[in-house]
Amino acid sequence: MDNSKPEFSIIIPARNMERYVEETLQSVCRQTMTEFEVLCIDDGSTDDTREILERFAMRDVRFTPVTGRAKGVGAARNLGLSLALGKFVLFLDADDLLHPEALQRYSDVLATSDAVAAIAGVQRINTVGQEMNGADNRLLVPSKDQLAVLLRKNYVVNGGALAMKTDAARQSGGYEEDLVYGEDWEFWCRVALIGGFAVVEGPPLLYYRQVASGANFRARDPAFARRVPCIEKVSANPAMRQAFGSRLRFLLRARKIDIFWSGVRNQYQYGRKPLALLEGVCGMFMYPDSLFRPKLIYRFMRSLDRRV
């Protein structure tokens, strides 16, 4: 292997993730593909995260600890992207796990496709690694008009489920560092402007950990917020306006509804059922058009059950 030109660059931002990051790095070590580099961005940790990253780097030259600017996950990912040497790039969260064949399967699809990215299935797991109920996100990925559907519904779910050609990730401009919520979805939408996503068949390649203190619970705007900055970023994007015209407003309206009901689901799943009920009742008045979207209602009801 030529360490200067790995096939894959895996970028892992981490801040105070000592509880999970070692297991995440171990899942990378178990990859059947060995031609990769791992850029571990320590984004201002005050626990033992940095020590764990350095320990892996001492054992394996493919792992490189990088000191971040402590300016958030978007800035950490951009720093990693600027340093990446791989042909392909994967943004992996520090509490998630990869299937042992993940990199090889991503590479096989990307190397034989004109697509700019490859999307894999997501298996949700709980804090101790047990698999949870959930639908296959790949069923939502259309063969055509992929960006329009992504504008309406986040079918990627998590960054570890989307491997990209590094040139495409850079061409898109990287992450918007001023976004706190939805920065990944907004980034994926800009990547989708460049080209299509190929679907990786077979088993889920990402094990996405559901943590009550994690981004999937905390990182959303208040339920009744009038403004959703990530949606406003997409709405103001000239390339999006040119691609969709007046249709963009309706697509983003659907996305805002989806974000709202995802928030209600999260409140329910993490034990705040009275608040979930209150938000749900209010949501029927705020977004009455939700009642005329049977697929949304069906997905919402199914997503309430995440039992192991």
Side-chain angles (χ1 to χ4, degrees):
M1 168 186 166
D2 178 1
N3 285 323
S4 66
K5 293 293 181 182
E7 184 82 352
F8 250 98
S9 293
I10 305 173
I11 297 170
I12 306 178
R15 177 185 292 178
N16 295 336
M17 294 299 294
E18 64 179 0
R19 179 179 177 185
Y20 299 114
V21 70
E22 184 160 2
E23 188 178 1
T24 298
L25 297 178
Q26 290 286 5
S27 78
V28 176
C29 290
R30 289 191 292 268
Q31 292 300 298
T32 57
M33 170 183 280
T34 60
E35 296 83 13
F36 63 79
E37 66 171 352
V38 182
L39 299 167
C40 307
I41 316 299
D42 175 23
D43 197 42
S45 296
T46 56
D47 63 1
D48 290 335
T49 295
R50 180 74 186 202
E51 179 181 333
I52 295 170
L53 301 182
E54 290 178 346
R55 189 163 67 242
F56 270 80
M58 289 178 63
R59 296 199 303 252
D60 191 329
V61 296
R62 296 174 298 179
F63 289 77
T64 303
V66 179
T67 301
R69 296 173 289 165
K71 291 188 176 181
V73 68
R77 289 170 179 156
N78 282 342
L79 176 58
L81 182 59
S82 72
L83 299 172
L85 298 174
K87 184 191 308 182
F88 309 126
V89 64
L90 184 70
F91 295 96
L92 181 65
D93 287 349
D95 55 355
D96 295 337
L97 308 174
L98 289 179
H99 185 284
E101 297 178 2
L103 297 186
Q104 187 62 62
R105 287 176 177 267
Y106 281 134
S107 178
D108 289 345
V109 170
L110 288 171
T112 58
S113 171
D114 293 332
V116 299
I119 182 170
V122 175
Q123 172 63 61
R124 288 174 168 83
I125 58 176
N126 63 16
T127 55
V128 295
Q130 296 172 309
E131 295 184 3
M132 305 170 68
N133 289 337
D136 190 336
N137 56 300
R138 291 170 293 187
L139 298 176
L140 299 173
V141 185
S143 58
K144 298 180 180 179
D145 216 13
Q146 291 179 335
L147 176 54
V149 176
L150 183 59
L151 289 169
R152 293 171 56 90
K153 171 70 179 176
N154 174 14
Y155 53 70
V156 177
V157 182
N158 182 275
L162 191 71
M164 287 167 266
K165 293 180 177 177
T166 305
D167 288 345
R170 287 175 174 152
Q171 183 183 341
S172 74
Y175 287 83
E176 288 281 357
E177 297 184 7
D178 61 333
L179 285 178
V180 178
Y181 314 131
E183 78 291 333
D184 44 10
W185 169 78
E186 191 274 338
F187 168 59
W188 301 330
C189 288
R190 282 185 281 111
V191 173
L193 272 171
I194 299 171
F197 294 173
V199 175
V200 183
E201 304 295 341
L205 300 184
L206 178 73
Y207 295 88
Y208 174 33
R209 199 181 302 271
Q210 307 287 270
V211 182
S213 61
N216 61 306
F217 179 70
R218 290 182 293 102
R220 70 182 185 98
D221 291 306
F224 307 116
R226 296 285 181 182
R227 298 178 61 248
V228 182
C230 63
I231 290 179
E232 291 181 349
K233 287 279 188 182
V234 173
S235 178
N237 187 325
M240 293 289 182
R241 292 178 173 229
Q242 182 176 358
F244 294 100
S246 60
R247 184 184 175 203
L248 182 62
R249 180 167 63 90
F250 296 99
L251 294 172
L252 294 180
R253 165 74 176 181
R255 177 64 179 139
K256 189 171 184 180
I257 291 172
D258 187 70
I259 289 174
F260 177 86
W261 289 109
S262 293
V264 174
R265 176 199 64 208
N266 287 343
Q267 298 285 18
Y268 178 87
Q269 289 173 348
Y270 293 118
R272 298 180 178 180
K273 294 181 180 179
L275 185 55
L277 178 61
L278 172 62
E279 290 187 2
V281 171
C282 293
M284 287 188 285
F285 290 95
M286 293 174 60
Y287 303 110
D289 38 336
S290 302
L291 301 176
F292 301 100
R293 295 178 58 192
K295 290 183 179 179
L296 171 68
I297 295 172
Y298 175 73
R299 289 197 304 266
F300 174 76
M301 297 304 297
R302 283 198 64 188
S303 71
L304 291 178
D305 181 10
R306 294 286 195 220
R307 291 173 297 178
V308 174

